[in-house]
Amino acid sequence: MDIQSHQRVNDILLAPLERPLLQWFAARMPLWVTPDRLTGIGLLGALSIGASYGATQWNSNFLWLANVGFFLNWFGDGLDGTLARYRRIERPKYGFFVDHTVDAIAQLAIVLGLGCSPYFTFSIACLGLIGYLLMSILVYVRTCVDGVFQISYGKIGPTEVRLLLVILNVIIYFVGSVTIALPFATISVYDFLALTVAIALILTFIISSFRYARILAKIDP
């Protein structure tokens, strides 16, 4: 499959707001701001998120710095491709490789930071990362097989996930740690949420993989 001809599916809930805003930014970026530099800003934002979550062991105010990191990550990660398309300087193969390699590093940094914070158990945070990486594998394999690069599922994409985490950070800051008693253990509400998301990602990967395999079996008997 020619990577230049893949179909990009990003049908997210916030698209009516995000796309015009990114176009507005792209039209006003000075020439010294390049897609590669924006990718670097996005990665810097992710690294600052991870470091900020880790630092909440000593001071919960670092949650606000994590929220700043989420904005930087959105700005860089969302605008790099938009700017390349706006200036008509796309490098499809290079851009695809660098963008998604950096995304993997960014998610690793964020999840490790969450696992080192006092609000999430490290093992549950890592289970969430496993779910994310499984979904990434599904997206990339499907891109190679049928030329569809599907970023969003159920109107939820990276932008919505960032916004939900920003809101969660605010809740954590003002509410603090909260536990719930389950039949088998007592865990924090945030661990319960993370575990739910991880299970949902893993189940989505398994169900979607079987569904695509059945479709491909009919196309390629």
Side-chain angles (χ1 to χ4, degrees):
M1 196 279 296
D2 184 1
I3 199 66
Q4 301 182 56
S5 61
H6 75 269
Q7 176 189 355
R8 191 169 183 267
V9 178
N10 190 19
D11 183 23
I12 61 173
L13 188 65
L14 294 175
L17 297 174
E18 182 185 53
R19 287 170 187 164
L21 183 58
L22 290 176
Q23 287 293 331
W24 186 88
F25 277 127
R28 287 159 179 80
M29 285 295 104
L31 290 177
W32 60 267
V33 177
T34 64
D36 280 350
R37 287 176 178 172
L38 287 170
T39 300
I41 290 173
L43 178 59
L44 179 63
L47 294 175
S48 69
I49 294 166
S52 298
Y53 276 136
T56 57
Q57 296 181 65
W58 301 286
N59 194 320
S60 62
N61 284 308
F62 280 102
L63 288 167
W64 299 109
L65 186 58
N67 283 351
V68 174
F70 276 117
F71 173 77
L72 289 176
N73 181 251
W74 168 81
F75 183 81
D77 185 48
L79 190 56
D80 54 4
T82 302
L83 183 64
R85 290 186 289 273
Y86 179 82
R87 293 180 179 173
R88 298 182 180 179
I89 55 172
E90 302 101 317
R91 291 187 285 176
K93 293 182 180 180
Y94 170 83
F96 188 91
F97 177 81
V98 170
D99 191 40
H100 301 301
T101 302
V102 168
D103 280 348
I105 298 171
Q107 296 305 320
L108 175 64
I110 292 171
V111 172
L112 288 180
L114 280 171
C116 291
S117 76
Y119 309 110
F120 294 87
T121 302
F122 189 80
S123 57
I124 293 179
C126 287
L127 189 63
L129 180 61
I130 290 170
Y132 166 81
L133 293 176
L134 285 173
M135 287 302 299
S136 296
I137 291 170
L138 177 63
V139 169
Y140 302 145
V141 170
R142 189 182 174 194
T143 303
C144 293
V145 171
D146 61 15
V148 176
F149 181 65
Q150 186 166 349
I151 300 174
S152 60
Y153 282 83
K155 292 285 185 178
I156 301 297
T159 300
E160 286 76 13
V161 172
R162 292 186 188 100
L163 180 59
L164 289 173
L165 285 170
V166 166
I167 293 171
L168 182 61
N169 286 345
V170 175
I171 293 172
I172 291 173
Y173 181 81
F174 287 107
V175 176
S177 296
V178 180
T179 59
I180 55 174
L182 298 176
F184 52 87
T186 298
I187 65 172
S188 76
V189 170
Y190 313 122
D191 269 344
F192 179 77
L193 290 173
L195 183 61
T196 302
V197 170
I199 293 172
L201 288 171
I202 293 170
L203 288 177
T204 300
F205 169 78
I206 294 171
I207 294 169
S208 297
S209 296
F210 275 106
R211 184 164 65 88
Y212 287 132
R214 291 181 65 183
I215 292 171
L216 292 171
K218 295 177 182 178
I219 297 172
D220 191 17

